[in-house]
Amino acid sequence: MIKTDILIIGAGPTGLFTVFEAGLLKLKCHLIDALPQAGGQCSELYPKKPIYDIPGFPDVLAGDLTKNLLEQGRQFEPGFTLGERAETIDKQEDGSFIVTTNKGTQHQAPIVAIAGGLGSFEPRKPLIENITKYEDHGVDYFIKDPEKYRNKRVVISGGGDSALDWSIFLADIASEVTLIHRRNEFRGALDSVEKVQELKLLGKINLVTPSEVVGVSGEDHIESVTVKKADEEFQIETDFFIPLFGLSPKLGPIGNWGLDIEKNAIKVDNALDYQTNIPGIYAIGDVNTYPGKLKLILCGFHEATLMCQSAYKRINPGKKYVLKYTTVSGIDGFDGTRKEAPKAVVKAII
């Protein structure tokens, strides 16, 4: 059983910033995310795309924003359960909640903050008749451990940043990398497209366009994919097939937790603290809805801040918290570190 003060469901920007705000209140956080790494959409869908509306940053790459948020919260030592989806929630007699994932991992906390963005992300799967037979037997929709593909033949399908970036990364790990896309044009960052072109000329990536994978075959494990190019079909032998077609957001099991739902979003009390209809459960970021709601990262940061203040009062009833500016009080990390502004030098003028 993993125990914490605030259990955050969703490790996107809003969930990650919650770690920092909770840490200022001496509250410990643990995050659950169905994706294999923190960052949500910013890491999985568009890590190299700039964001222009983060205060203080004229522009920042989505992947860099995630990296900075992780660094900002690191001093408060958050825990992570990644690659697992929050499945069920059970309220205990003491008012706390136990959240169990699809893999059976249990977490207990007095506060649950749902920061799931647009919901739990599920991979968009290609329409190939028997592909489910090979899931976890050569067909992967996420890359969790690149070492798994060392000295193996890999076929990647897709035309976005994920397909480009992983093709580049695995070119130095796999024995053979083939990138298949139904168009000649790619939708990824220009430098990634140019890098793939360079690796193609060096013979480190096999580029097959315009074409698509229409079949997979093998006995107990995938052995080849069938590729259609124009009116021709041919097979490519491979050890792994990785279709990277993006992610489809779904509210998922959270929609069965007894929360008030409106148009696939969770209704909250925005007049006070973004709490749901179940006391102790909050929803912040894109996953919530209320009059005037704007689905912006900066709005999620604001909601996380107010939510943490409310969570502190629930965990410490009767104890008053006096808000102090970090420029005055400094920051004491759970890891023993301290950040504070340099002390002014007091010196008399004679």
Side-chain angles (χ1 to χ4, degrees):
M1 182 76 70
I2 297 171
K3 295 187 178 183
T4 189
D5 295 319
I6 300 179
L7 181 63
I8 305 169
I9 299 174
T14 297
L16 293 177
F17 187 66
T18 303
V19 172
F20 177 78
E21 287 297 322
L24 295 179
L25 300 170
K26 308 300 181 189
L27 300 177
K28 196 87 166 156
C29 292
H30 190 95
L31 299 92
I32 302 174
D33 202 294
L35 295 175
Q37 73 286 318
Q41 296 179 68
C42 287
S43 293
E44 187 65 23
L45 296 184
Y46 45 86
K48 293 188 176 182
K49 290 188 178 179
I51 301 174
Y52 298 104
D53 60 356
I54 302 298
F57 290 90
D59 64 83
V60 59
L61 296 181
D64 289 343
L65 175 63
T66 295
K67 180 181 176 182
N68 291 341
L69 287 166
L70 283 165
E71 182 61 32
Q72 187 176 28
R74 194 182 311 279
Q75 61 199 311
F76 297 119
E77 300 180 326
F80 290 90
T81 299
L82 299 175
E84 299 185 29
R85 183 182 64 243
E87 197 77 18
T88 62
I89 188 167
D90 297 292
K91 191 165 186 177
Q92 306 303 294
E93 291 185 4
D94 63 359
S96 67
F97 301 91
I98 291 180
V99 174
T100 305
T101 71
N102 60 317
K103 294 187 178 179
T105 308
Q106 292 192 312
H107 311 74
Q108 185 172 16
I111 300 293
V112 173
I114 302 172
L118 297 173
S120 64
F121 289 96
E122 297 180 7
R124 291 192 175 98
K125 301 180 181 182
L127 299 176
I128 297 175
E129 184 178 352
N130 61 336
I131 195 167
T132 56
K133 172 184 174 181
Y134 299 100
E135 292 174 357
D136 296 325
H137 296 282
V139 171
D140 294 333
Y141 301 110
F142 298 110
I143 295 179
K144 299 180 181 180
D145 179 14
E147 283 299 313
K148 174 180 180 179
Y149 310 102
R150 183 167 292 281
N151 301 323
K152 302 293 185 180
R153 298 166 299 177
V154 176
V155 171
I156 294 175
S157 186
D161 283 314
S162 292
L164 291 165
D165 292 345
W166 280 119
S167 295
I168 294 167
F169 190 89
L170 293 179
D172 291 325
I173 293 177
S175 62
E176 181 181 289
V177 174
T178 300
L179 175 59
I180 297 174
H181 183 39
R182 60 183 177 175
R183 298 187 180 93
N184 289 318
E185 300 80 20
F186 288 83
R187 294 171 285 103
L190 180 59
D191 61 330
S192 296
V193 176
E194 292 175 345
K195 183 64 176 178
V196 167
Q197 179 69 22
E198 178 186 335
L199 291 171
K200 174 194 172 185
L201 295 175
L202 292 172
K204 300 191 73 173
I205 290 180
N206 303 319
L207 190 60
V208 185
T209 61
S211 60
E212 62 179 321
V213 176
V214 295
V216 290
S217 58
E219 293 187 12
D220 297 329
H221 193 278
I222 194 169
E223 296 174 7
S224 66
V225 297
T226 302
V227 180
K228 183 176 182 180
K229 185 172 184 178
D231 296 327
E232 177 190 5
E233 287 192 6
F234 55 93
Q235 288 192 322
I236 297 176
E237 293 184 355
T238 188
D239 300 303
F240 291 97
F241 172 45
I242 310 172
L244 298 174
F245 297 152
L247 303 170
S248 176
K250 299 181 184 298
L251 198 55
I254 292 173
N256 302 319
W257 288 4
L259 301 167
D260 282 345
I261 306 295
E262 182 179 285
K263 295 181 180 179
N264 210 40
I266 303 170
K267 294 176 68 175
V268 295
D269 176 12
N270 68 307
L272 185 62
D273 54 10
Y274 306 98
Q275 196 161 190
T276 68
N277 59 302
I278 301 178
I281 301 181
Y282 300 77
I284 52 178
D286 288 357
V287 76
N288 74 15
T289 186
Y290 52 84
K293 168 70 179 181
L294 293 176
K295 293 183 182 293
L296 297 172
I297 293 175
L298 62 90
C299 294
F301 290 166
H302 165 77
E303 294 165 9
T305 304
L306 296 188
M307 182 279 294
C308 287
Q309 296 287 327
S310 176
Y312 179 87
K313 294 173 184 176
R314 286 189 64 85
I315 294 174
N316 302 285
K319 187 175 180 180
K320 188 176 180 181
Y321 174 76
V322 179
L323 176 66
K324 295 180 181 179
Y325 299 108
T326 56
T327 49
V328 176
S329 63
I331 301 172
D332 291 306
F334 297 160
D335 57 0
T337 61
R338 176 166 178 76
K339 296 178 181 177
E340 61 181 334
K343 300 294 183 182
V345 177
V346 179
K347 187 176 182 181
I349 298 177
I350 300 175

